[in-house]
Amino acid sequence: MSYPSISGPPSAEASLESTEGSLEVRRWLDSVRAITQTVVTAQPLTDVLDLIAGTAASLMGYDFCGVLLPDASSRKLTIEGSSGLSSDYIAQVNANHPVLLDQDAAFEAPSSRAFRTGRPVAIADIQAEPQFAPWGGVAKEQGYRSMISVPLLDSDHAVIGTLNCYRANIHDYGQQETALLAVLADHAAIALTTSRLRSAEARQIEELVLLNRELHLQRDLLQKSEDIHQKLTEIALRGGGVPGIAAALSILISRDILIEDAQGTVIGRSDPAVRFPDDQTRAGTRDDEASLFGIYPVLLDESEVARIWTAGGPEPLTAIERRAVEHAAVVTSLELLRARTAEEAQWRLQGAVLNDLLTGESSAMSTIVARAERVGHDLTLEHSMVVISLTHVAQSDVNTCLQQALRRINAWTAPFKPRPLSAIHHDRIVVLIPAAFGQSTFQMDLSDEVRRLAASRRPIASATAVSLGPCPDLKMYPRAYRSAAGALDMLALTGQTDTSVTLDDLGLVGLLLQLDDAYQLLQYADRTLGPVRAHDSSRGTELIRTLRTYFSCGLVSADTARLLHVHPNTVGQRLRRIQALTNKDLTRPDHAMELAAALTVGDVAQATPRP
């Protein structure tokens, strides 16, 4: 094998050698150009490495060549490009006999030494080299006897790999051969570095293209999102309200929509014919059942004020469709805030009118009719009164439940002509219903409906209603309210809640509640039961409670004991103590009636609000 060289003045024989040398140089230049062309055309790195190995084998006459590069951990060299080496050999070396880079110098492989020192390492006869023993078996199978490993150096003289060349026979690698191989290794290192740079550039370009595409998609998404927000906002501004938002959102995402408030009341839906879970089912919908629908919260001041339900479809919502629902939630929140602000202003005006009417403040009564007319109510008409008290509700939820109840009652009475007047007064809801709606049974039906609307599931609250009237004169409203409030207190005292009653239903109690002077009632009750109440107060007994339960059980001691969770003998002892204190005999009908009347009159007197 001849290698290109430079000598002195040519002779005839030298001219021939020079011609052959020129051809060899041209062959080298063409090979280097081929490597460069492969890099320039951005061929895969494995193709570049195979070409480097093949070029070395062709130019230097080697039987086999390989390009070894450090792995990601930089702890071993693996064969990444080759010429003549079998795939089995490459697999065995890479998997079972890798060239380790952290070996002790006395045991390291030729390739790892060349990589560590940055200098060529040659072995003329591998069978005579003890350090090569781990690779002796695979070398024999591949069919080589000698080898040389030349480091690949980058522009900073850092080793980035090795070029390994093998011969089938024993061979001494001379200085000129090693120098030429080093020159080829330098070109290979440049090609490898350039290929890596181009690969990195290609990845960056690809990432930039993907990023640019994503930015365009985001821009389009934002534009579509802005269009959706504008459409939904326009609907709200045109007075479409929550029903209009539901209808528009349904068109935008091609799904049926239902919007409910925090209490589960439907405030907007795209199509009444489409079935969603009913109110009670929606309130208890489990997570696995909710997967059939989309549920999106509507927040106001970080509190959930409504929910948007989307019907299921063949495919999940797209990003833009989800964005449309989110915008609908924002617009719904703003619409609810607008409605709530207007509603609260109306409530304040109605509350001021009703408060002055029920307190009977003389300075306000002269303008009460005109003020009521300005808020849409005609107090020149006779009105029946329904007074509602909420029960079984947590103290922290009272205001919320009252406001929610008033909102539902106002929504229900909005279509009525003439319009009823509703407001919150002293933690109760008062509804004045024009007598034009009728009397008797119809009035009771209205009372039941108002009570039903006042009750709540979220938060939990029950309602008790007392109705009376009509009131033919403005001056009668304060007295009527005091009677109704007293009736509610009486019902709560006796455990009769979650019902609708009239004063007539309460019989004697209803009649007594309509008396303005509670002092005489108290005097009568104190004359009869004063000693019993004093005994309970001073000794912590429950004689009054026992007496009330005894009368409610029809004068049956056993039933009284069961309700009070005491022994019948205890009931007997308490009743004897009452008889002794009052000087009355409960076995005499007239005495029993007198005690019962005193008990009722005392309760009424305590429950009757002062004018």
Side-chain angles (χ1 to χ4, degrees):
M1 183 71 188
S2 61
Y3 305 113
S5 61
I6 299 177
S7 59
S11 61
E13 183 177 341
S15 296
L16 179 59
E17 292 178 356
S18 176
T19 301
E20 294 176 352
S22 297
L23 293 174
E24 187 66 20
V25 169
R26 181 178 295 277
R27 192 162 71 94
W28 273 67
L29 292 176
D30 290 342
S31 298
V32 171
R33 186 181 299 110
I35 295 175
T36 304
Q37 185 65 29
T38 302
V39 173
V40 169
T41 55
Q43 297 299 314
L45 181 60
T46 54
D47 292 352
V48 175
L49 297 178
D50 287 344
L51 181 60
I52 290 172
T55 300
S58 174
L59 292 178
M60 305 294 290
Y62 295 122
D63 297 303
F64 318 103
C65 286
V67 179
L68 281 68
L69 302 179
D71 67 354
S73 64
S74 297
R75 297 184 60 187
K76 62 183 179 181
L77 295 174
T78 57
I79 302 172
E80 301 297 333
S82 64
S83 174
L85 297 174
S86 68
S87 57
D88 288 342
Y89 172 81
I90 294 173
Q92 286 190 58
V93 170
N94 287 345
N96 303 324
H97 305 286
V99 179
L100 302 179
L101 297 176
D102 55 359
Q103 289 284 87
D104 186 271
F107 303 100
E108 66 181 344
S111 302
S112 60
R113 188 188 308 166
F115 188 88
R116 178 176 58 82
T117 62
R119 296 177 181 178
V121 176
I123 300 179
D125 185 358
I126 60 175
Q127 293 183 6
E129 186 66 42
Q131 288 177 287
F132 203 83
W135 298 273
V138 291
K140 185 175 181 180
E141 291 179 7
Q142 181 60 47
Y144 63 84
R145 187 72 179 269
S146 62
M147 69 161 291
I148 184 171
S149 182
V150 182
L152 303 177
L153 305 175
D154 64 11
S155 58
D156 296 325
H157 300 285
V159 182
I160 58 175
T162 64
L163 175 60
N164 289 7
C165 301
Y166 311 90
R167 291 185 181 276
N169 56 342
I170 299 173
H171 178 76
D172 288 323
Y173 295 87
Q175 183 177 357
Q176 184 180 7
E177 180 181 357
T178 302
L180 287 173
L181 195 55
V183 171
L184 182 59
D186 289 341
H187 285 290
I190 294 172
L192 175 58
T193 302
T194 304
S195 179
R196 283 177 168 174
L197 289 174
R198 290 188 65 86
S199 296
E201 289 176 353
R203 286 194 299 272
Q204 290 179 347
I205 292 172
E206 184 177 358
E207 290 173 358
L208 289 173
V209 169
L210 291 175
L211 180 60
N212 186 57
R213 186 179 299 128
E214 181 66 23
L215 288 174
H216 277 83
L217 290 174
Q218 289 293 331
R219 181 199 63 190
D220 294 342
L221 184 62
L222 288 173
Q223 183 60 50
K224 292 178 181 178
S225 177
E226 180 63 26
D227 294 342
I228 289 170
H229 185 75
Q230 185 175 355
K231 290 177 182 177
L232 293 172
T233 304
E234 287 176 354
I235 290 171
L237 292 176
R238 288 199 303 266
V242 177
I245 295 171
L249 180 60
S250 175
I251 294 173
L252 287 171
I253 67 173
S254 300
R255 304 282 177 97
D256 289 299
I257 300 297
L258 180 142
I259 304 177
E260 63 176 1
D261 64 14
Q263 293 72 52
T265 302
V266 176
I267 55 178
R269 64 190 310 162
S270 58
D271 186 352
V274 176
R275 293 196 56 178
F276 279 86
D278 59 28
D279 294 350
Q280 194 168 8
T281 305
R282 287 199 306 276
T285 298
R286 303 190 309 269
D287 290 341
D288 57 339
E289 295 170 334
S291 62
L292 300 175
F293 308 91
I295 307 175
Y296 301 85
V298 178
L299 303 179
L300 184 60
D301 291 335
E302 299 182 356
S303 298
E304 184 176 297
V305 295
R307 279 181 168 188
I308 296 178
W309 289 65
T310 62
E315 298 291 337
L317 293 180
T318 64
I320 189 63
E321 289 172 338
R322 289 195 301 273
R323 186 68 62 88
V325 178
E326 291 168 1
H327 279 303
V330 172
V331 176
T332 300
S333 175
L334 295 174
E335 175 63 18
L336 291 176
L337 176 61
R338 182 200 62 77
R340 181 175 297 180
T341 302
E343 182 180 65
E344 289 175 352
Q346 182 76 1
W347 287 359
R348 284 193 295 271
L349 295 173
Q350 292 176 347
V353 169
L354 193 62
N355 181 72
D356 290 342
L357 179 64
L358 298 184
T359 57
E361 183 66 36
S362 57
S363 60
M365 293 302 285
S366 60
T367 61
I368 196 76
V369 173
R371 289 166 54 203
E373 186 177 0
R374 284 197 291 269
V375 291
H377 302 282
D378 186 0
L379 288 183
T380 63
L381 300 175
E382 293 183 0
H383 286 72
S384 296
M385 181 183 297
V386 180
V387 183
I388 300 166
S389 178
L390 298 184
T391 57
H392 307 114
V393 57
Q395 187 61 38
S396 59
D397 293 330
V398 169
N399 287 336
T400 299
C401 289
L402 284 171
Q403 292 175 3
Q404 292 172 355
L406 183 59
R407 183 174 294 113
R408 289 192 292 272
I409 292 170
N410 280 336
W412 177 67
T413 60
F416 289 8
K417 299 295 180 184
R419 188 176 179 185
L421 174 61
S422 308
I424 298 172
H425 183 71
H426 293 174
D427 289 337
R428 296 185 178 94
I429 297 174
V430 179
V431 184
L432 300 184
I433 302 174
F437 290 128
Q439 307 292 331
S440 154
T441 303
F442 184 61
Q443 176 184 325
M444 199 61 200
D445 290 342
L446 290 177
S447 178
D448 279 335
E449 181 62 20
V450 170
R451 184 184 67 83
R452 186 190 68 79
L453 290 168
S456 171
R457 287 192 300 271
R458 289 183 286 175
I460 295 175
S462 300
T464 305
V466 172
S467 61
L468 69 166
C471 299
D473 187 85
L474 293 178
K475 295 179 181 179
M476 292 187 63
Y477 286 101
R479 180 184 299 177
Y481 173 75
R482 289 195 296 271
S483 298
L488 287 171
D489 290 339
M490 275 290 300
L491 292 171
L493 188 64
T494 56
Q496 302 177 63
T497 57
D498 306 340
T499 185
S500 299
V501 300
T502 66
L503 288 184
D504 292 342
D505 294 332
L506 299 178
L508 176 61
V509 171
L511 179 62
L512 293 174
L513 283 168
Q514 297 178 66
L515 299 177
D516 276 340
D517 189 1
Y519 177 75
Q520 295 299 328
L521 298 178
L522 283 172
Q523 287 293 97
Y524 173 79
D526 284 343
R527 283 196 302 271
T528 307
L529 292 176
V532 180
R533 294 186 189 278
H535 188 279
D536 280 349
S537 178
S538 63
R539 302 193 181 188
T541 54
E542 295 185 329
L543 299 181
I544 290 294
R545 181 186 176 205
T546 301
L547 183 62
R548 179 180 289 111
T549 306
Y550 181 65
F551 283 135
S552 69
C553 290
L555 308 182
V556 179
S557 297
D559 293 344
T560 304
R562 186 173 62 256
L563 287 179
L564 294 176
H565 304 290
V566 297
H567 195 276
N569 291 341
T570 302
V571 173
Q573 292 172 0
R574 292 178 181 179
L575 293 177
R576 287 192 292 272
R577 173 62 62 184
I578 292 170
Q579 292 178 130
L581 291 170
T582 60
N583 197 28
K584 302 293 182 184
D585 184 357
L586 286 170
T587 61
R588 288 181 54 176
D590 57 334
H591 285 193
M593 185 183 347
E594 188 174 351
L595 289 175
L599 186 64
T600 300
V601 167
D603 291 341
V604 170
Q606 290 182 346
T608 302
R610 301 297 182 268

